[in-house]
Amino acid sequence: MKVTLFGAAGDVTGSAYYVQIASASVLVDFGSFQGRKEMQIHNETLTTLDLKKLDAVILTHAHLDHTGRLPLLVKSGYKGPVYATKATIDVAGLILMDSAKIQGYEIKRKNKKPEKAGQPLLKQIYGEEEIKKVMSLFIPVPYNTPYEIAEGCFVRLHESGHLLGSASIEMDIEENGNKKIIVFSGDIGPDDTAIVKNPDPFSSADLVFLESTYGDHNHKPLEETLLEGKEIIDRASVKKGKILVPAFAIGRSQQLLYYLARGFHRKTLNKIPVYLDSPMAIKATKVYAGHKELYDDEAAELYRTGVIKSDLSGIHISESAEDSIALNNAEGPCMIIAGGGMCNAGRILHHLKHNLYKPETTVMITGYQGTGSLGRKLLEGSKKVKIFGEEVVVRADIAHMGGLSAHADQSGLLKWFDAVSDSKPVLVLSHGEDKGRKPLAEIIKKKYNIKAVLPEYGETIML
Ligand SMILES: [Zn+2]
């Protein structure tokens, strides 16, 4: 049996593990690349892969870097099953559709010049049609239940605590009378992630693929981060200004709403009106509300006692563009959570344009800001920025609530691995750049005397 990595090898995007045994071939995740330019060719065509045949696909979770190449499979004629938890299927539907839409806008923008010049136009890699085909192939798999996905290949999904529906996968394989266990960690969340349960590790494996995104450091304690959030709200309340939160629509937005509802209820936060101004985040929040069976104990209790409400009645929803524009007249103090996360597109740009010049405004950044993004410029202290071609002076308070993460830190990853370490598995560190995976490999070597494999794209691990 062998496993080839077609992504997330020395990289944090493009997760894809091609498992080949005598009786079947299975893909675990098939995500798109979002970082290095030279890898993005793999987002466009399957011809660079050596997929002999494919009997089934199984997903760890819905993020685009784990699902984004599925439309390529259906385009090339794949009609087999795609297994995932029910929540992953629901969230993946939102993410894939959104990605097709964004691609559509991008292609239109990029084609403007060649169209005028009569040059050949770029084609969209996939659209709504392919997404619908992918959705028709999904088959839900329950957690903690052995499930046969291909001949000789059973899986068991464990909570991975990263996103609603996220799972680590145990694969029990039988080949020529030999039984082996392969474990794919998927993306592992920190123990204290709001709403979702903590990661549930495995106790035995012959081969482990462990993510290593933050293998090099530990996060700031959550309490400290939440205190920063409280101070931001306190300051804005005194100034009676708007707090603009660039929203990562799925996961981070629901976490924030959760902390707000909990803080208002416990009276640890000044109660201010909260507006959710992102159609995608509204949809995602409804998906979260539809999967209460996956909530951790605290979230289940807050739901049972009505502190968090599944009909979103505690917050103001801005579905339409008119609703969003009307927020220009909303009085502070208030919080507007608007897409998108790095301030490069979406409704947040309108709010920034109308409010950055006001000293009473606060911008609260809650997630990673890529190089060159407007969010990064604000964090770096730019005094003037360009929005929709217009120069805007920055007088707002730019606040960073930097400790929220969807990935376990070094100690979280070690804790997860510790549970399976007694079985002395072959360990492959995937889903991490050298910066993350090398320090983690060193610690694991010292602590467990296990020398981790640090694979490159296309590398095959034999078992
Ligand atoms: Zn993820």
Side-chain angles (χ1 to χ4, degrees):
M1 51 195 79
K2 55 184 184 179
V3 184
T4 307
L5 291 98
F6 288 124
D11 239 319
V12 291
T13 60
S15 277
Y17 306 86
Y18 184 45
V19 183
Q20 289 171 277
I21 57 173
S23 55
S25 298
V26 172
L27 257 180
V28 176
D29 287 346
F30 203 37
S32 41
F33 288 89
Q34 292 155 354
R36 289 190 280 160
K37 273 257 153 49
E38 70 270 24
M39 299 308 283
Q40 294 196 11
I41 179 74
H42 301 298
N43 291 341
E44 293 169 20
T45 169
L46 284 182
T47 54
T48 49
L49 306 188
D50 188 18
L51 293 178
K52 297 272 184 294
K53 59 169 186 153
L54 188 59
D55 297 291
V57 180
I58 182 156
L59 303 177
T60 59
H61 66 290
H63 279 146
L64 202 62
D65 63 319
H66 295 255
T67 58
R69 281 188 281 171
L70 291 174
L72 291 185
L73 284 182
V74 299
K75 252 176 110 171
S76 70
Y78 178 72
K79 291 191 175 69
V82 179
Y83 296 99
T85 65
K86 179 71 177 72
T88 289
I89 296 171
D90 293 346
V91 180
L94 293 180
I95 289 182
L96 288 169
M97 250 340 160
D98 191 55
S99 139
K101 229 191 252 170
I102 291 170
Q103 254 190 56
Y105 296 142
E106 277 288 292
I107 292 280
K108 241 189 200 165
R109 191 179 59 81
K110 285 184 184 161
N111 275 338
K112 263 187 190 158
K113 271 190 191 162
E115 199 176 3
K116 278 184 200 155
Q119 290 163 347
L121 300 184
L122 295 168
K123 277 199 188 128
Q124 193 167 341
I125 303 165
Y126 58 81
E128 217 167 287
E129 195 188 323
E130 284 83 9
I131 307 300
K132 280 185 183 153
K133 276 189 195 156
V134 170
M135 296 308 292
S136 73
L137 301 179
F138 275 128
I139 297 175
V141 179
Y143 280 102
N144 305 314
T145 312
Y147 198 98
E148 188 173 25
I149 61 165
E151 199 188 329
C153 179
F154 281 80
V155 293
R156 203 155 51 95
L157 306 185
H158 277 199
E159 176 62 64
S160 82
H162 168 71
L163 176 75
L164 192 79
S166 67
S168 301
I169 300 173
E170 175 187 301
M171 199 175 265
D172 295 307
I173 279 170
E174 194 167 348
E175 187 181 56
N176 308 322
N178 270 331
K179 285 187 175 175
K180 298 278 184 202
I181 301 174
I182 308 177
V183 163
F184 301 88
S185 74
D187 290 1
I188 302 173
D191 261 354
D192 45 17
T193 302
I195 308 171
V196 295
K197 292 174 186 148
N198 288 346
D200 178 14
F202 297 90
S203 55
S204 174
D206 298 290
L207 171 61
V208 171
F209 291 88
L210 171 62
E211 74 124 314
S212 51
T213 315
Y214 294 124
D216 59 331
H217 72 268
N218 286 328
H219 300 318
K220 202 192 288 185
L222 180 67
E223 289 316 312
E224 233 173 83
T225 304
L226 293 181
L227 194 63
E228 280 170 9
K230 175 190 157 38
E231 284 164 4
I232 293 167
I233 292 176
D234 285 349
R235 283 201 303 272
S237 300
V238 173
K239 292 196 292 183
K240 296 200 174 1
K242 286 178 182 159
I243 305 172
L244 306 179
V245 185
F248 292 89
I250 299 176
R252 185 61 43 84
S253 291
Q254 291 70 40
Q255 256 182 308
L256 270 179
L257 291 172
Y258 179 86
Y259 291 131
L260 288 166
R262 193 181 70 177
F264 294 156
H265 171 69
R266 292 180 179 169
K267 300 194 168 53
T268 51
L269 291 179
N270 276 331
K271 191 156 191 211
I272 56 171
V274 176
Y275 299 91
L276 187 57
D277 186 21
S278 154
M280 179 76 162
I282 293 167
K283 279 186 205 153
T285 307
K286 286 177 183 165
V287 171
Y288 266 71
H291 286 283
K292 295 178 197 82
E293 77 284 1
L294 300 180
Y295 288 8
D296 63 13
D297 289 347
E298 188 191 73
E301 176 65 11
L302 291 182
Y303 170 70
R304 200 185 56 75
T305 52
V307 176
I308 50 174
K309 298 188 178 76
S310 58
D311 60 358
L312 303 179
S313 59
I315 43 177
H316 305 273
I317 300 293
S318 301
E319 296 253 26
S320 68
E322 291 76 40
D323 294 340
S324 179
I325 292 164
L327 292 181
N328 287 339
N329 301 322
E331 277 183 27
C334 68
M335 182 180 284
I336 300 175
I337 303 173
M342 295 195 202
C343 313
N344 271 355
R347 294 180 177 180
I348 192 71
L349 283 177
H350 296 275
H351 296 300
L352 291 170
K353 191 180 145 194
H354 289 288
N355 295 288
L356 269 180
Y357 73 90
K358 299 175 186 166
E360 68 269 27
T361 302
T362 303
V363 181
M364 184 167 107
I365 307 269
T366 65
Y368 175 75
Q369 303 296 310
T371 316
S373 63
L374 176 58
R376 175 74 76 95
K377 284 178 194 154
L378 292 173
L379 272 182
E380 286 170 351
S382 293
K383 291 286 164 238
K384 254 184 209 167
V385 291
K386 248 192 183 163
I387 301 175
F388 300 126
E390 227 176 82
E391 257 191 7
V392 184
V393 178
V394 183
R395 294 197 191 94
D397 179 14
I398 311 296
H400 194 201
M401 190 178 166
L404 295 176
S405 176
H407 286 270
D409 58 11
Q410 188 182 67
S411 63
L413 293 171
L414 285 170
K415 182 179 166 197
W416 189 92
F417 182 68
D418 192 64
V420 76
S421 63
D422 274 353
S423 55
K424 293 282 169 200
V426 173
L427 171 65
V428 181
L429 294 182
S430 56
H431 203 288
E433 295 171 0
D434 279 349
K435 180 177 156 299
R437 64 182 185 172
K438 280 190 171 163
L440 188 64
E442 268 171 41
I443 295 179
I444 288 175
K445 176 81 183 72
K446 263 191 216 144
K447 205 167 171 197
Y448 303 101
N449 199 25
I450 292 174
K451 188 173 184 298
V453 180
L454 307 182
E456 294 302 324
Y457 178 90
E459 206 165 313
T460 298
I461 313 293
M462 308 291 292
L463 189 64

